[in-house]
């Protein structure tokens, strides 16, 4: 399952944005068990999936990830979760 995912740590009130070609639950488990090796996510193990955007291809997922990161906005992340039409526009833009 290819897609872009957003993780959230309630303990640190932080987000992490990434891409995966595997099941998002397995990827989450790797982040929380620190076997994934990301320095950014290894400081805590309370990550949860905030949002998963299923994509048609890995390049599409990477482009969506870059777009989301470039926004540098927590409000944008919450809006993505609240308004599914925003996700569809991103998918169409990077199809």
């Amino acid at each position: 399952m290819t897609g872009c995912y957003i993780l959230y740590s309630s303990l640190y009130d932080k987000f992490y944005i990434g891409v995966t070609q595997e099941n998002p639950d397995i990827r989450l488990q790797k982040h929380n068990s620190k076997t994934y090796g990301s320095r950014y996510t290894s400081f805590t193990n309370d990550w949860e999936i905030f949002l998963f955007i299923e994509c048609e291809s890995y390049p599409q997922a990477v482009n969506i990830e870059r777009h989301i990161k470039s926004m540098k906005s927590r409000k944008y992340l919450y809006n993505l979760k609240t308004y599914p039409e925003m996700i569809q526009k991103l998918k169409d833009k990077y199809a």
Side-chain angles (χ1 to χ4, degrees):
M1 188 180 304
T2 302
C4 176
Y5 62 93
I6 301 170
L7 302 180
Y8 177 71
S9 166
S10 56
L11 184 62
Y12 289 93
D13 192 30
K14 292 199 176 277
F15 288 96
Y16 175 81
I17 304 160
V19 294
T20 186
Q21 289 184 300
E22 62 187 346
N23 183 304
D25 292 325
I26 292 172
R27 187 59 161 245
L28 174 66
Q29 185 179 17
K30 287 180 179 179
H31 280 289
N32 280 330
S33 65
K34 300 177 177 132
T35 58
Y36 176 58
S38 171
R39 282 188 330 161
Y40 188 86
T41 61
S42 64
F43 63 87
T44 188
N45 63 355
D46 75 323
W47 295 105
E48 57 189 50
I49 296 175
F50 178 78
L51 181 65
F52 182 76
I53 301 170
E54 192 170 345
C55 298
E56 296 173 15
S57 65
Y58 188 75
Q60 182 187 39
V62 170
N63 285 328
I64 290 173
E65 175 200 28
R66 288 180 183 156
H67 175 87
I68 293 170
K69 286 181 174 180
S70 74
M71 297 306 288
K72 299 182 181 186
S73 169
R74 294 170 74 87
K75 184 159 180 69
Y76 186 76
L77 299 179
Y78 285 107
N79 284 340
L80 279 174
K81 190 170 184 173
T82 306
Y83 305 107
E85 60 271 16
M86 289 178 65
I87 294 171
Q88 189 57 51
K89 285 182 182 179
L90 280 177
K91 286 180 170 184
D92 293 343
K93 180 177 181 178
Y94 296 109

